[in-house]
Amino acid sequence: MARIILIETSTAMCSAALAEDGKISAYREDADRAHAARLAPMVDDILKEKGLTVKDCDAVGVCMGPGSYTGLRVGVSTAKGLCFGASIPLLATGSLDTLVWAAIDGNMVPEGCRYIVPMIDARRMEVYTAVFTPDGKQISATEPKIIDAESFAKELAEGPVLFIGDGAKKCEEILAGPNAHFASVYPDARGMLQPIMAEYNGKRFKDVAYFEPFYLKDFVATVSRKKLF
């Protein structure tokens, strides 16, 4: 079976894991928003724990977004560097898929659930989201969505819906109802296991030189209001 390094940096939490024989064999996380400083040491710690080097691995899997612009750049750049240095292939999956599979593998899906709706926090009442079936199939486009009282009304009318992600908590009051279930968690590298293994088994490798994160929205630079002089 494949041995794959997994990297997730799409939100405030940075995490890395090692998948061996279809299971997570080592894991590290850090929520200090210091992705650039913490990610590479975490990967190194995981490999040392298992007595391995990057060249002992079959691929690197990275979360491609949507999410934090800076976080995604750090994750993808690190993954590319590992692939280039060890001459191994690059795999990618989305942050929304990662949340969905964390729910499925972590037994967080409520009984009778009709839909899983992952939510990555954006700004104010906006989230990056899509609708998935309880078996992990995406059935709507990934989009930035401003949440209001009418959001996901159709899905909620059909039965239980699980809203999961770091954007779910701020939506609890607006979407509250008997069919609305919430799990406020960050996406992490362990949730990448199933979708990345599917990519690996399907040999859907990315071009290491040209692969870019899935930002969903253009990065907007702002001008600091702090006077420098």
Side-chain angles (χ1 to χ4, degrees):
M1 289 287 289
R3 181 182 288 132
I4 303 174
I5 298 168
L6 304 174
I7 291 172
E8 211 298 323
T9 58
S10 64
T11 63
M13 188 172 80
C14 170
S15 62
L18 183 67
E20 295 184 283
D21 298 328
K23 298 179 180 179
I24 299 298
S25 63
Y27 175 74
R28 297 287 190 282
E29 68 177 46
D30 189 282
D32 287 341
R33 295 179 181 269
H35 298 11
R38 304 292 175 82
L39 179 57
M42 283 197 297
V43 173
D44 188 52
D45 283 349
I46 286 171
L47 293 173
K48 285 180 177 177
E49 176 185 321
K50 306 299 294 185
L52 301 168
T53 68
V54 180
K55 291 185 177 181
D56 294 315
C57 299
D58 297 290
V60 177
V62 68
C63 184
M64 63 183 177
S68 159
Y69 181 92
T70 301
L72 293 173
R73 294 297 296 179
V74 170
V76 169
S77 296
T78 301
K80 284 185 171 187
L82 294 171
C83 291
F84 271 125
S87 298
I88 56 177
L90 176 68
L91 300 161
T93 190
S95 51
L96 300 183
D97 301 84
T98 299
L99 284 168
V100 168
W101 281 100
I104 295 171
D105 290 342
N107 297 315
M108 290 184 271
V109 182
E111 184 176 354
C113 183
R114 295 298 303 273
Y115 303 102
I116 300 175
V117 179
M119 292 177 160
I120 298 292
D121 193 14
R123 62 178 69 182
R124 299 184 180 87
M125 288 311 299
E126 186 175 40
V127 296
Y128 301 136
T129 189
V131 178
F132 288 71
T133 61
D135 60 356
K137 180 182 178 182
Q138 185 170 344
I139 57 174
S140 77
T142 300
E143 63 176 342
K145 188 177 184 69
I146 296 174
I147 303 300
D148 59 31
E150 299 303 315
S151 298
F152 304 106
K154 172 182 174 295
E155 288 80 9
L156 287 166
E158 294 182 22
V161 177
L162 174 64
F163 298 97
I164 182 170
D166 66 323
K169 185 174 179 60
K170 69 181 183 182
C171 301
E172 286 190 41
E173 185 174 342
I174 294 175
L175 299 178
N179 284 334
H181 300 260
F182 299 89
S184 181
V185 299
Y186 288 114
D188 73 58
R190 294 169 295 189
M192 296 171 62
L193 177 64
Q194 300 298 339
I196 283 293
M197 288 306 303
E199 293 297 298
Y200 181 82
N201 292 331
K203 301 186 185 302
R204 292 184 288 270
F205 304 118
K206 303 300 182 183
D207 187 313
V208 178
Y210 295 102
F211 178 75
E212 290 290 333
F214 175 45
Y215 296 119
L216 189 58
K217 294 176 70 174
D218 292 334
F219 175 68
V220 178
T222 58
V223 178
S224 174
R225 295 183 180 180
K226 185 184 294 184
K227 292 184 179 181
L228 300 179
F229 302 99

